[in-house]
Amino acid sequence: MNAGPIQYLQVSNQIVESWAVALSWFVSQIEYNDRGIGDYGLESYSPNNPPRRPCQYAYQYWNLSIDKTYTSLFINIVDDFNERNQNFPTRGTGEVDDNVTGYFFADIEKNILKHSYGITSLRNKLIEYLPSGVSVSDLDLLLSHYQ
């Protein structure tokens, strides 16, 4: 945050924890790939005895009724998979309509997070850095699932 720890206290838990979920997903994907598990972090990943999150189905089965805080928000603005109406055998049908892709974690961290306190301020910053091929209405549709 621009003003340090005091300003950080104003950030919603949803933003803080969703960022942590995304980084866990991203770093674990790198680590597992290095160990020869090439599909970790993909929506098809489903081991025999998976932990609840974030690895099974790459956290693509998330919906608001499951958890309002630990969301797939940042995963969804980076990945290129739309989970809407996808069937996840042990989780049900995907609910989030995600036509957003093209953001990068490094750019989010550098340009967006330090100005984001909740969904509204996050939206405003994401619009400033909107990737080619993504419309504001695509972004609004995605973000509507997290409110």
Side-chain angles (χ1 to χ4, degrees), residues 65-77:
S65 66
I66 292 173
D67 194 337
K68 293 180 180 183
T69 304
Y70 297 88
T71 77
S72 58
L73 171 60
F74 291 105
I75 294 171
N76 282 332
I77 65 174

Side-chain angles (χ1 to χ4, degrees), residues 4-72:
I6 292 174
Q7 192 173 16
Y8 176 76
L9 293 173
Q10 299 171 351
V11 179
S12 75
N13 286 338
Q14 185 182 49
I15 298 294
V16 171
E17 299 302 344
S18 298
W19 181 246
V21 166
L23 289 184
S24 171
W25 171 78
F26 180 69
V27 171
S28 296
Q29 185 176 22
I30 293 168
E31 190 66 30
Y32 275 70
N33 286 336
D34 285 350
R35 295 170 188 247
I37 302 172
D39 62 346
Y40 183 93
L42 300 179
E43 67 281 352
S44 60
Y45 182 71
S46 183
N48 291 335
N49 189 17
R52 178 165 177 227
R53 61 176 175 235
C55 75
Q56 188 183 32
Y57 308 119
Y59 212 55
Q60 297 294 336
Y61 54 82
W62 178 89
N63 65 55
L64 195 59
S65 66
I66 292 173
D67 194 337
K68 293 180 180 183
T69 304
Y70 297 88
T71 77
S72 58

Side-chain angles (χ1 to χ4, degrees), residues 60-100:
Q60 297 294 336
Y61 54 82
W62 178 89
N63 65 55
L64 195 59
S65 66
I66 292 173
D67 194 337
K68 293 180 180 183
T69 304
Y70 297 88
T71 77
S72 58
L73 171 60
F74 291 105
I75 294 171
N76 282 332
I77 65 174
V78 170
D79 74 1
D80 63 354
F81 178 74
N82 186 351
E83 61 266 34
R84 181 73 173 176
N85 296 324
Q86 297 291 323
N87 182 38
F88 300 104
T90 61
R91 297 290 180 198
T93 303
E95 296 183 8
V96 177
D97 201 345
D98 172 17
N99 294 304
V100 176

